[in-house]
Amino acid sequence: MSDLPLIQADRAVPPPAATTSTGGRGRRLRLLSRTDRVVITLMVLVPLLLVIALVWLPALATVLLSGTNWDGIGPVSEIDWVGLKNYDDVVNIYPPFVPAVQNNLLWLAALFVVATPFGMFLAVLLDKELRGSRFYQTALYLPVVLSLALIGFVWQLIYSRDQGLLNAVLGTSTDWYGDSNVNIWAVLVAAGWRHVGYIMLLYLAGLKGVDPSLREAAAVDGSSEASTFFRVVFPVMRPINIIVLVVTVIESLRAFDLVWVINKGRNGLELISALVTSNVVGEASRIGFGSALATIMLVVSLVFITLYLATVMREDRR
Amino acid sequence: MSRPRSQAEYLARLVPPSVAGLNRRSLLAGAAGTGALLGTGLLAGCGGADSDSGAGSKTVSLGSNASDPTPKDVLAKVTAGFQSSSGIQVAVNTVDHNTFQENINNYLQGKPDDVFTWFAGYRMRFFAAKGLAGDVSDVWGKLSGYSDAFKKASTGDDGKQYFVPMSYYPWAVFYRKSVWQQHGYQVPKTLDDLNTLGAQMKKDGLNPIAFADKDGWPAMGTFDILNLRINGYQFHVDLMAGKEAWTSDKVKKVFDTWAGLLPLHQPDALGRTWQEAAQSLQQKKSGMYLLGLFVAQQFNNDEQDDIDFFTFPEVDSTIGAKALDAPIDGYMMARKPKSEANAKKLLEYIGGVDAANITVKNDPGTLVANTGADTSGYTALKKKAAELVGSATEIAQFLDRDTRPDFASTVIIPALQQFIKNPKDIGGLLTSVENQKKSIFTS
């Protein structure tokens, strides 16, 4: 990636010995000064420790706790080991689990098929320097900036069955949030509303970075607008496309806030993340059971992360 | 999961704990790798905002969930009263109502305040049994003015008292006098009366029974009262303690009866908040509403005199209609208070008549537990509510306070919502509840 060789010792280029203060102390010729080594060690060590402490240990603890029935009370030594019972319970006797998995998949599909392409489309439009494009940009990006509580409230005003805007305008009495056949779609609209703005901004930034001479060359060769985009611009934007893809996957896996604000992820709005929260956080403290759910989610995330890393690494090696 | 006592609190509750506390970061990360242990560890760290202003014998700390303006103000006046009568300084540590409840486990295991707010019920007894709360039996020796029902509600499994009641509110069926006078409705005495009345209300173009269960807990009130009427108080207690099977015919009968009443309920309840349902009563679109006394908040000041209520009618004449849900709020003592003597003095004051009088004078929204208090300031509605609870043979605390919180929130709420959605498959639903109950209660 980087073109700046920080440590290229093995390249057999004569080291810039003059700048390093070897001072004849070491037996071997040192490429790096003591300060450099300290700095590099710290730069590796500190993030490493942070990652271990904040990501790996808790992840490991979650996996371990998922084999227990801890309720969050009492010392760790009193935790009972129950083996795979929690997983058995999740799959066999916990009714919200299956709908949660389905909803997460639906969420992914909806963002991937509708919201993401639409956000990209808007970015392409805005890239055309329309009049007032700043205004559209702001308007479309606003949902991403708004606080979660506010978004929940805004949509409550729109979707409320008895007092909501939507039923008043349409003259219907659809129970947007309460009918479990309808509410997931209502929420997906709200989620898409946010996601479109996010993708739009990401993609717009990428489009601004595309070398204009590419487009000019395509135009000179008689390429149409559409084929210029699909044959020239889109392939050039590969890094951004990957980011957009990853953002979409991550967003749909960690989808949580909207359903939590609406009804805590119940009654048709089950999502794995909401189930984890309702079991672990708060008074319930079914930590063992919630950890089993979290572990399942971790495994699903790992599949995507592995795929992504494999792609990126293959890219780098080329 | 106490009832929101004001619009502001309800709105504050819309903010998920994720935003209110710091759980979400760790949780979302939990999705991608971080886990529960970190979250709880961090919370334990910040749970007990210790206010140890010198372990002198002249201070006592009080952890309060009274984050709304009115209760907060009342508590400030009560503690001021205590300060002037005893000379002991009270350091009040107020935490947002919902956050307090969500973090209670970590709070009690960390450095809790000497005295803290809590509710009567299963959870109180659970903390007592786990040794997380202090025995206040000797405070009870000095208290007077409490009925046996309140003392029973303050007693742990070992027969000692761990709780001092402060206020309560009953659940009953509320209606507007003007609407009932206009149509000439009579208060129903039996289930058949209720059905007849409901049918008449439908004819008159009203929703017979307002209903909302978007938040999950209001339907527990309906389940509770039907269970109390059909199977009685002791069965309610045993069922909540996990001792009775949910697949039994007794529970089935509760759901069958409820299914029979559902057509009288406002449709599409799962998308409606209790405020919206209460407003349908206020706007004279619904005929009655089974809810707590806090329903009155949704009425304008000049409409308060128009609110009336009756206790849910009798279903089985051998059981009667004397039991009801009336959740009690009050105070508990930490397991190891910095100054036990001061903590007990504070509890004695809080349970006394003076504190009750201050509360009556300053908080229009609660009923005080101490019968010795001067209740001449009560509105007609509150007087009637106090009489209703006073005449009750048994007082239940509401489903989510009478059973394990994990069972109530992760099993019962989804199950009741499922029932409301599809009242036909009661057998399958109860089998599912029973399976989950066995798993939770044996763990």
Side-chain angles (χ1 to χ4, degrees):
Chain A
M1 293 277 277
S2 164
D3 293 328
L4 299 170
L6 284 176
I7 324 162
Q8 270 200 342
D10 41 26
R11 272 300 176 87
V13 177
T19 56
T20 55
S21 57
T22 47
R25 261 171 289 155
R27 279 181 205 158
R28 281 190 303 144
L29 191 65
R30 297 271 189 204
L31 294 173
L32 300 166
S33 72
R34 174 168 302 192
T35 331
D36 286 348
R37 268 180 284 140
V38 170
V39 167
I40 287 172
T41 314
L42 280 179
M43 283 171 76
V44 173
L45 213 60
V46 172
L48 186 71
L49 286 177
L50 282 175
V51 167
I52 288 178
L54 298 177
V55 178
W56 288 107
L57 283 182
L60 198 67
T62 305
V63 176
L64 286 178
L65 280 173
S66 73
T68 71
N69 63 4
W70 197 37
D71 61 359
I73 290 185
V76 179
S77 57
E78 282 178 15
I79 296 178
D80 290 331
W81 185 257
V82 296
L84 292 177
K85 177 172 173 291
N86 285 326
Y87 293 93
D88 185 43
D89 284 1
V90 165
V91 176
N92 291 322
I93 65 167
Y94 192 50
F97 179 67
V98 173
V101 173
Q102 286 169 348
N103 286 342
N104 267 94
L105 290 176
L106 184 64
W107 204 279
L108 177 63
L111 289 193
F112 187 74
V113 177
V114 182
T116 300
F118 189 59
M120 290 160 91
F121 175 67
L122 288 176
V124 172
L125 283 188
L126 287 174
D127 192 40
K128 300 273 176 242
E129 307 284 333
L130 305 173
R131 190 188 294 173
S133 74
R134 279 280 168 81
F135 171 76
Y136 294 125
Q137 259 180 56
T138 318
L140 290 169
Y141 193 65
L142 201 63
V144 188
V145 185
L146 291 182
S147 89
L148 212 129
L150 195 61
I151 288 185
F153 195 58
V154 165
W155 287 97
Q156 168 82 40
L157 293 178
I158 294 173
Y159 281 139
S160 164
R161 179 188 181 277
D162 304 343
Q163 302 162 358
L165 177 76
L166 203 56
N167 277 341
V169 169
L170 297 178
T172 54
S173 61
T174 310
D175 188 7
W176 296 103
Y177 272 172
D179 186 334
S180 54
N181 297 318
V182 179
N183 58 8
I184 186 73
W185 301 105
V187 175
L188 279 173
V189 168
W193 176 65
R194 271 176 100 189
H195 189 71
V196 163
Y198 194 12
I199 296 300
M200 184 268 307
L201 202 77
L202 269 179
Y203 214 68
L204 191 59
L207 284 171
K208 297 278 185 215
V210 173
D211 187 350
S213 60
L214 282 177
R215 284 191 182 135
E216 284 161 22
V220 169
D221 287 346
S223 164
S224 70
E225 279 278 316
S227 75
T228 306
F229 177 75
F230 286 111
R231 299 268 174 85
V232 180
V233 178
F234 191 76
V236 169
M237 300 257 295
R238 193 159 193 275
I240 300 286
N241 292 338
I242 290 185
I243 291 179
V244 164
L245 187 69
V246 170
V247 163
T248 305
V249 172
I250 290 178
E251 284 284 311
S252 51
L253 277 176
R254 54 165 236 184
F256 165 78
D257 34 24
L258 274 169
V259 300
W260 191 255
V261 169
I262 291 164
N263 65 4
K264 306 217 163 177
R266 296 173 182 136
N267 179 36
L269 297 186
E270 292 89 354
L271 287 177
I272 302 180
S273 53
L275 296 187
V276 174
T277 311
S278 56
N279 277 288
V280 172
V281 176
E283 247 194 297
S285 283
R286 271 174 103 180
I287 289 179
F289 187 78
S291 297
L293 285 163
T295 306
I296 292 172
M297 209 167 151
L298 176 68
V299 172
V300 177
S301 312
L302 277 179
V303 171
F304 285 102
I305 292 169
T306 315
L307 281 176
Y308 167 66
L309 284 181
T311 320
V312 170
M313 282 176 176
R314 207 183 312 138
E315 190 100 320
D316 278 355
R317 224 167 282 144
R318 266 207 308 235
Chain B
M1 212 173 300
S2 74
R3 313 305 144 235
R5 282 189 286 187
S6 67
Q7 186 82 21
E9 187 179 335
Y10 169 73
L11 287 177
R13 215 167 262 208
L14 284 175
V15 183
S18 41
V19 183
L22 43 81
N23 330 24
R24 193 188 91 194
R25 285 283 141 179
S26 48
L27 250 210
L28 280 188
T34 315
L37 197 63
L38 174 72
T40 45
L42 280 177
L43 284 171
C46 66
D50 33 341
S51 49
D52 45 348
S53 44
S57 61
K58 283 290 167 201
T59 59
V60 60
S61 63
L62 172 66
S64 160
N65 63 2
S67 49
D68 279 352
T70 311
K72 194 174 175 178
D73 180 52
V74 171
L75 184 62
K77 287 189 170 124
V78 169
T79 52
F82 173 66
Q83 241 153 269
S84 61
S85 74
S86 67
I88 297 169
Q89 290 286 324
V90 184
V92 181
N93 175 17
T94 308
V95 178
D96 164 68
H97 195 285
N98 212 27
T99 312
F100 186 89
Q101 197 167 343
E102 304 250 289
N103 292 339
I104 186 74
N105 289 346
N106 299 309
Y107 174 75
L108 291 184
Q109 292 181 90
K111 284 186 193 162
D113 299 294
D114 300 345
V115 174
F116 58 93
T117 48
W118 197 243
F119 325 112
Y122 180 92
R123 203 65 176 148
M124 181 275 289
R125 298 198 301 273
F126 175 78
F127 289 142
K130 287 270 180 181
L132 290 170
D135 174 9
V136 295
S137 302
D138 45 348
V139 174
W140 269 88
K142 297 173 197 161
L143 292 177
S144 60
Y146 288 95
S147 67
D148 273 354
F150 278 95
K151 185 163 186 181
K152 212 163 129 191
S154 309
T155 306
D157 297 331
D158 57 0
K160 294 174 185 164
Q161 281 76 43
Y162 289 91
F163 179 81
V164 174
M166 184 76 207
S167 60
Y168 66 96
Y169 58 86
W171 277 64
V173 185
F174 290 83
Y175 63 90
R176 290 196 70 152
K177 283 184 212 166
S178 54
V179 174
W180 281 44
Q181 269 159 13
Q182 182 195 333
H183 295 287
Y185 298 144
Q186 295 295 319
V187 168
K189 295 281 177 223
T190 64
L191 188 66
D192 291 339
D193 289 354
L194 184 70
N195 274 315
T196 320
L197 175 65
Q200 184 59 41
M201 283 180 171
K202 268 195 165 168
K203 261 184 225 156
D204 295 337
L206 289 169
N207 260 316
I209 304 174
F211 193 41
D213 198 36
K214 179 164 173 280
D215 300 308
W217 55 260
M220 292 176 174
T222 311
F223 174 81
D224 269 358
I225 200 72
L226 284 170
N227 191 24
L228 287 171
R229 291 289 176 271
I230 293 169
N231 298 314
Y233 176 76
Q234 195 52 45
F235 183 80
H236 164 85
V237 171
D238 293 342
L239 184 68
M240 293 301 119
K243 291 179 196 156
E244 293 280 352
W246 282 76
T247 41
S248 70
D249 287 344
K250 289 184 158 188
V251 182
K252 253 185 207 129
K253 193 175 172 207
V254 173
F255 280 98
D256 282 337
T257 312
W258 193 356
L261 284 172
L262 265 187
L264 297 180
H265 285 68
Q266 213 172 352
D268 295 342
L270 297 179
R272 191 180 295 113
T273 63
W274 72 262
Q275 285 93 340
E276 289 170 317
Q279 282 157 22
S280 80
L281 184 71
Q282 184 257 337
Q283 291 157 4
K284 306 188 178 182
K285 290 177 189 158
S286 296
M288 49 192 156
Y289 190 15
L290 171 69
L291 202 73
L293 187 61
F294 54 86
V295 72
Q297 290 163 12
Q298 296 295 320
F299 287 72
N300 300 324
N301 280 338
D302 57 344
E303 292 163 346
Q304 294 291 333
D305 288 341
D306 196 32
I307 313 171
D308 203 348
F309 66 86
F310 58 90
T311 189
F312 195 87
E314 177 182 296
V315 176
D316 181 339
S317 59
T318 57
I319 303 282
K322 282 287 187 188
L324 80 165
D325 268 336
I328 305 169
D329 292 351
Y331 294 84
M332 294 177 79
M333 187 176 76
R335 56 182 164 168
K336 282 187 224 141
K338 284 184 205 80
S339 166
E340 192 171 322
N342 290 353
K344 285 185 173 168
K345 269 185 209 159
L346 176 60
L347 283 171
E348 197 186 325
Y349 182 83
I350 284 174
V353 175
D354 291 347
N357 283 338
I358 295 175
T359 311
V360 172
K361 216 176 283 169
N362 294 292
D363 189 349
T366 47
L367 299 170
V368 289
N370 193 321
T371 53
D374 173 16
T375 53
S376 56
Y378 275 4
T379 58
L381 186 71
K382 283 172 71 173
K383 266 183 198 146
K384 194 174 167 189
E387 271 166 33
L388 174 68
V389 177
S391 71
T393 45
E394 288 106 357
I395 300 174
Q397 293 302 311
F398 202 69
L399 198 153
D400 62 6
R401 293 184 180 191
D402 273 336
T403 189
R404 292 175 59 124
D406 45 2
F407 182 61
S409 66
T410 66
V411 179
I412 292 299
I413 289 182
L416 293 184
Q417 291 188 333
Q418 180 62 34
F419 166 75
I420 293 164
K421 217 185 322 182
N422 175 19
K424 298 212 171 65
D425 185 22
I426 295 172
L429 183 75
L430 292 180
T431 309
S432 163
V433 171
E434 177 65 14
N435 286 339
Q436 294 182 76
K437 182 210 88 181
K438 276 186 190 144
S439 176
I440 286 183
F441 278 87
T442 52
S443 70

